[in-house]
Amino acid sequence: MQTSDFSSLYNHHEREVFATVQKLAPQFPQIDNNDLLVDVACVALNRLPPRYIRHAVDFSFYLTEPERLEIDSAINESVRYAFHFVQARRALNAAT
């Protein structure tokens, strides 16, 4: 039986979410360590439908401009939600 190499397969949203988390992090100074930023990325990714691809160029080629804008908006919204969610959970845990 032949073993397949799946290392080139990834969720397109991962890179975009990671970049958006980094970009928005200064707006959320309460999220002040790497573990919390990773939690933000996890929450955001779980709110988005997975889009598994092998090559980003192929994925982008088949998107229309409205689809691209819709995906960017969904990523931004999910990341903002995730920051607020993690921030609220942290505050709740601190209060107990």
Side-chain angles (χ1 to χ4, degrees):
M1 182 172 172
Q2 182 180 3
T3 303
S4 298
D5 178 12
F6 296 102
S7 64
S8 64
L9 181 68
Y10 67 96
N11 181 351
H12 173 266
H13 295 320
E14 288 175 359
R15 292 177 184 172
E16 299 298 323
V17 165
F18 300 159
T20 304
V21 168
Q22 291 295 325
K23 183 176 113 183
L24 296 180
Q27 296 176 26
F28 297 89
Q30 306 87 333
I31 309 296
D32 57 1
N33 67 56
N34 189 60
D35 285 341
L36 292 174
L37 290 175
V38 173
D39 288 346
V40 168
C42 287
V43 171
L45 283 165
N46 283 324
R47 292 181 53 82
L48 295 165
R51 300 283 250 168
Y52 288 98
I53 60 171
R54 291 187 64 197
H55 306 287
V57 173
D58 293 341
F59 180 72
S60 298
F61 177 77
Y62 291 106
L63 289 178
T64 65
E65 189 61 24
E67 287 172 324
R68 188 171 295 118
L69 292 173
E70 183 178 327
I71 289 170
D72 290 346
S73 177
I75 288 171
N76 193 44
E77 180 183 321
S78 292
V79 170
R80 286 185 180 281
Y81 171 89
F83 268 109
H84 290 288
F85 180 86
V86 171
Q87 187 173 290
R89 287 290 185 173
R90 185 171 191 216
L92 183 64
N93 289 338
T96 58

